[in-house]
Amino acid sequence: MRDRLVWQAASLLLSYPEDGLGGLAARLDTVDELLAHISGPAATLLGRTVEALRAREPMAVAMDYVETFDMRRRTTMYLTYWTAGDTRNRGREMLAFATAYRGAGVEPPRAEAPDHLPVVLEFAAIVDPEVGRGLLTEHRVPIDVLRCALADAKSPYAHTVAAVCATLPAANDQDVRRAQRLAQSGPPVESVGLQPFTLTVPPKRTEGG
């Protein structure tokens, strides 16, 4: 249950801070209610994000959110982007998330991609913690890369992602090396549909040629 509370709190903190449902302050109040039932390092980490967000104006929080997660590829929360990048495999990997949701009896959200970290966290928290934990654990490496990128940017959201990591199995040496390579080289890419390069412009004729 502790992990499920962490996941729900993290999902709320990592979602776009919309003005509806009482606004950011009401959402942070909900997180505080969840934190009242959590103890340990995860609660401390989540509390740091709450404190940082409360200290800023809601409009500034929203602008920072967009700048952090929508304008920088290194801090994207779309998990399949890190495992499949801009390749044809990404559609198949996103389908795996949707299939997992349907297998648990719920439809994937229409307003957001099924691999978006806040969506996965909410699914794990309130629908199927076993399947949700499996999805999060399977994508532990990209979550770690996201955590490091947020920490490098000194983002308050780094604490929340660190709290999520604390609920997952410890990364082994192979996972650490994969995360380091991914952070350095970025996600996979492919050139879809491009033909081999050929010279279509005839070379300039030389005198006497």
Side-chain angles (χ1 to χ4, degrees), residues 105-130:
V106 296
E107 285 296 313
R110 295 183 177 181
E112 189 53 89
D115 65 327
H116 197 233
L117 181 55
V119 172
V120 184
L121 289 168
E122 185 174 24
F123 170 80
I126 67 176
V127 179
D128 193 321
E130 182 177 352

Side-chain angles (χ1 to χ4, degrees), residues 70-89:
D70 296 344
M71 306 299 291
R72 303 174 186 169
R73 289 186 298 175
R74 290 187 67 246
T75 51
T76 181
M77 287 193 286
Y78 294 102
L79 299 180
T80 63
Y81 178 76
W82 289 109
T83 55
D86 294 322
T87 72
R88 287 165 287 191
N89 292 331

Side-chain angles (χ1 to χ4, degrees), residues 18-134:
E18 297 178 353
D19 294 332
L21 300 178
L24 177 63
R27 184 184 298 182
L28 296 179
D29 288 343
T30 300
V31 174
D32 279 338
E33 293 175 7
L34 295 171
L35 293 182
H37 303 282
I38 308 172
S39 60
T44 301
L45 289 165
L46 293 168
R48 289 176 182 171
T49 301
V50 171
E51 182 180 1
L53 297 184
R54 280 196 188 279
R56 305 187 66 190
E57 292 294 328
M59 181 62 70
V61 172
M63 292 176 62
D64 179 66
Y65 183 95
V66 172
E67 175 67 22
T68 299
F69 295 114
D70 296 344
M71 306 299 291
R72 303 174 186 169
R73 289 186 298 175
R74 290 187 67 246
T75 51
T76 181
M77 287 193 286
Y78 294 102
L79 299 180
T80 63
Y81 178 76
W82 289 109
T83 55
D86 294 322
T87 72
R88 287 165 287 191
N89 292 331
R90 190 177 178 195
R92 182 172 65 248
E93 293 193 12
M94 290 181 67
L95 179 60
F97 279 89
T99 301
Y101 297 160
R102 292 192 177 99
V106 296
E107 285 296 313
R110 295 183 177 181
E112 189 53 89
D115 65 327
H116 197 233
L117 181 55
V119 172
V120 184
L121 289 168
E122 185 174 24
F123 170 80
I126 67 176
V127 179
D128 193 321
E130 182 177 352
V131 173
R133 185 187 297 277

Side-chain angles (χ1 to χ4, degrees), residues 82-183:
W82 289 109
T83 55
D86 294 322
T87 72
R88 287 165 287 191
N89 292 331
R90 190 177 178 195
R92 182 172 65 248
E93 293 193 12
M94 290 181 67
L95 179 60
F97 279 89
T99 301
Y101 297 160
R102 292 192 177 99
V106 296
E107 285 296 313
R110 295 183 177 181
E112 189 53 89
D115 65 327
H116 197 233
L117 181 55
V119 172
V120 184
L121 289 168
E122 185 174 24
F123 170 80
I126 67 176
V127 179
D128 193 321
E130 182 177 352
V131 173
R133 185 187 297 277
L135 291 172
L136 292 169
T137 301
E138 183 180 352
H139 294 81
R140 171 63 191 262
V141 169
I143 294 173
D144 264 337
V145 173
L146 171 62
R147 175 185 59 79
C148 291
L150 290 171
D152 289 343
K154 295 180 172 53
S155 169
Y157 296 106
H159 306 303
T160 293
V161 178
V164 172
C165 290
T167 68
L168 304 177
N172 56 38
D173 291 342
Q174 183 178 3
D175 289 337
V176 171
R177 289 193 294 271
R178 284 180 58 205
Q180 291 172 341
R181 288 196 301 269
L182 197 56

